[in-house]
Amino acid sequence: MKTTLLLGLVLTLSGAALAQEPIYMEGATHPGRGQLYLRTQALFTDYRDSSEGDDRLAMRTKLVYGIRGNLAALVDADLERFRFQDDGTTTGLSRLALRLKYRVMQRDLGPLDTWRTSLFAGADLPVGNSRLAPDHLQPRLGVATTAILGRHGLNGEIAWTRRPGVKPDEFEFHASHLYRIAPARFAADTSGAWYTVAESLNTVTSHGDYQLDLALGILYEARHWAAEAGVRLPLAQDGPREMRYETIIGIRYLF
């Protein structure tokens, strides 16, 4: 009976384990072989006065396909609308990226507790009027690690993106903590769980610009879908476009 209950619990939570990742940063999560994971987010960003624009609306889409249990292909796409100080607007695809993600370490510490680490590599493709050429690609490399320990989820990410031409390279250093507020204990008939999310999001460029942010949010995850909402606030920043705040809502599906 105990074995049957445990098996049912693991099967119930197998889909939700993928969704247990932060709202902004990368986690060491993978869909199963042949599974498709879709994540769509809507963002509103309010900026201080700058030549880049006063606010931004964006739709961010992430599509992940499980090639194997430890190898996935990812497509990231951002569609943005900027409103400028002179009341003009510009809308278009601002990012299109292709990546591979490979899990290099997995330590299962119990029926639900685990520690996993993944490497990812790929490139941002030129968008807009840019032509597709090797010297226009923006290579991106990184590592992400995720630990689920009881009601706590811990994540870390380090990434580097090379920018062509005069644009500076970007270095990202992120960390996050998720806490399961309900239920206190999983059962075989658990249909979903609520988590608080806190993220430290830090970007530094090779030109010396930086942005250090705090993101706070709430996450509900079921077996094959999850919903999220949060706010991102600057702690310190120095760059051409300085943010006042950002709000985000999103939904995720596992097919």
Side-chain angles (χ1 to χ4, degrees), residues 149-214:
L149 306 171
R151 300 174 73 172
H152 300 271
L154 303 173
N155 297 273
E157 177 193 359
I158 299 175
W160 163 74
T161 304
R162 180 186 178 276
R163 305 294 186 188
V166 298
K167 293 183 178 180
D169 290 1
E170 287 187 355
F171 303 88
E172 299 171 57
F173 308 91
H174 305 322
S176 68
H177 174 254
L178 284 77
Y179 180 72
R180 190 179 73 245
I181 52 178
R185 294 180 178 275
F186 283 118
D189 60 350
T190 298
S191 59
W194 288 93
Y195 296 85
T196 58
V197 185
E199 299 180 67
S200 174
L201 306 169
N202 311 287
T203 302
V204 180
T205 76
S206 56
H207 286 184
D209 298 333
Y210 60 86
Q211 182 162 340
L212 314 179
D213 298 341
L214 173 67

Side-chain angles (χ1 to χ4, degrees), residues 72-132:
L74 297 83
V75 179
D76 299 285
D78 292 356
L79 181 66
E80 296 185 340
R81 183 201 72 98
F82 270 104
R83 186 184 69 175
F84 290 86
Q85 297 180 52
D86 60 1
D87 294 329
T89 61
T90 180
T91 303
L93 186 67
S94 63
R95 183 180 182 227
L96 180 62
L98 304 177
R99 291 184 290 152
L100 286 175
K101 189 175 181 181
Y102 180 66
R103 186 169 63 233
V104 295
M105 188 273 286
Q106 177 174 341
R107 299 286 185 270
D108 293 327
L109 309 174
L112 299 177
D113 292 356
T114 186
W115 179 24
R116 305 180 183 191
T117 299
S118 296
L119 304 177
F120 55 88
D124 288 13
L125 307 180
V127 294
N129 297 324
S130 300
R131 62 185 179 89
L132 182 58

Side-chain angles (χ1 to χ4, degrees), residues 57-80:
L57 290 172
M59 293 296 299
R60 180 173 295 167
T61 300
K62 177 180 180 180
L63 190 64
V64 187
Y65 177 74
I67 301 173
R68 300 201 304 262
N70 62 348
L71 179 64
L74 297 83
V75 179
D76 299 285
D78 292 356
L79 181 66
E80 296 185 340

Side-chain angles (χ1 to χ4, degrees), residues 22-26 38-45 47 56-63 75-81 92-95 99 172 174 199 201 228 232 241 246-252:
I23 296 175
Y24 281 96
M25 61 175 286
E26 193 77 40
L38 174 65
R39 179 177 187 173
T40 300
Q41 297 172 316
L43 304 92
F44 172 78
T45 313
Y47 291 104
R56 176 189 69 154
L57 290 172
M59 293 296 299
R60 180 173 295 167
T61 300
K62 177 180 180 180
L63 190 64
V75 179
D76 299 285
D78 292 356
L79 181 66
E80 296 185 340
R81 183 201 72 98
L93 186 67
S94 63
R95 183 180 182 227
R99 291 184 290 152
E172 299 171 57
H174 305 322
E199 299 180 67
L201 306 169
E228 60 198 4
R232 181 170 180 168
R241 190 172 67 220
E246 182 173 87
T247 58
I248 184 170
I249 58 173
I251 193 164
R252 319 173 191 179

